[in-house]
Amino acid sequence: MIKEIYFKTIDSTNAYLKRNYDRLDDFCFVSADEQSSGRGRQKRIWYSESGKNLLFSVLIKDKDLIDHFENLSIVSAYAILKVLEGYGIRDLGIKWPNDVYVGQKKICGILLESVSSAQIDCLIIGIGINVNQTVFPEAYLTEPVSMKGLLKKDISIQKLKKELFEELIACFERIRRKEDFYPRISSYDLLKGKTVTAEIDGRQEEVIVAGICPDYSLQVVCHNEKICLRSGEISFHSKEV
Ligand code: BTN
């Protein structure tokens, strides 16, 4: 039985779980039609038209999964990608560390946050999927696209939500059983072979992306040297993926 808390409006589903994780169960999903302070990666704002998109977060307290936190966010992206493929969306890719793209356009963003005291108490995976919004008035870093924009029809958010929650729970279980998602994930590696401008340790560098590694770090070639980057160490500034 999937546990879900739904809000018509909330500040942020991630923030709600951060405030309340200690009284909530593992794998509790929190969804909302609208967020007044939706958050993205690198302290960006996550905009979404009210009721048009799927905005939710899931709470992870299981120690095995917390220990595999680097798998969790990219496997979540893979789970979402698979559900979107089931709707007939083609040209899907994962832009490391965990965005889901259709061609050069972003359809889904994931924000992984942790709450720590002496150790990590819980992880919160926040997911925003562009579903029925077709006009994106804000200045986005990368061009967004929605399911409706691609499929030219309204999508039932309730049905999609159920499918995604089930797929995510199934994938979390497969991570716990130590299943290796790497071969499938690397076949959707959007940055592989691309030259991108990246900020590495505070410096702007032009790098060639060798690809996602089996430990889900990203290998890049910078000044003829191969280096492996963790998601906290790199940000891409180019408009291109
Ligand atoms: C990104 O690509 O920058 C990550 C975006 C994550 C947005 C989702 S929407 C639901 C959850 N609540 C938030 O405040 N953010 C995440």
Side-chain angles (χ1 to χ4, degrees), residues 11-15 35 37-41 44 46 54-57 99 106 108-111 126-128:
D11 53 350
S12 148
T13 54
N14 268 37
Q35 298 183 122
S37 305
R39 307 203 292 236
R41 293 182 69 237
R44 287 196 279 265
W46 185 260
L54 187 46
L55 310 168
F56 69 94
S57 304
D99 288 337
K106 180 161 162 172
C108 165
I110 300 181
L111 175 64
I127 298 174

Side-chain angles (χ1 to χ4, degrees), residues 17-64:
L17 280 178
K18 274 194 165 180
R19 290 192 296 269
N20 295 288
Y21 75 92
D22 49 351
R23 61 173 189 82
L24 295 171
D25 292 333
D26 208 9
F27 303 136
C28 176
F29 286 84
V30 178
S31 70
D33 284 352
E34 183 179 82
Q35 298 183 122
S36 54
S37 305
R39 307 203 292 236
R41 293 182 69 237
Q42 287 151 2
K43 299 197 169 69
R44 287 196 279 265
I45 295 169
W46 185 260
Y47 298 102
S48 175
E49 203 178 315
S50 178
K52 294 279 185 176
N53 299 317
L54 187 46
L55 310 168
F56 69 94
S57 304
V58 55
L59 176 66
I60 308 289
K61 289 176 146 180
D62 180 286
K63 291 289 169 222
D64 277 352

Side-chain angles (χ1 to χ4, degrees), residues 5 21 154 204:
I5 301 171
Y21 75 92
D154 272 305
Q204 295 278 333

Side-chain angles (χ1 to χ4, degrees), residues 46 53-55 77 80-81 83-85 87 89-95 98-110 127-133 136 142-151 155 160 190:
W46 185 260
N53 299 317
L54 187 46
L55 310 168
I80 291 158
L81 182 151
V83 170
L84 297 182
E85 260 185 2
Y87 278 77
I89 296 176
R90 297 287 163 256
D91 208 12
L92 282 151
I94 297 173
K95 184 187 163 206
N98 56 21
D99 288 337
V100 182
Y101 271 64
V102 179
Q104 304 288 306
K105 298 180 184 174
K106 180 161 162 172
I107 194 162
C108 165
I110 300 181
I127 298 174
I129 303 175
N130 299 330
V131 183
N132 289 322
Q133 183 169 342
F136 294 90
T142 44
E143 199 180 334
V145 69
S146 69
M147 295 176 74
K148 183 174 178 178
L150 293 162
L151 300 171
I155 302 298
L160 176 68
L190 201 74

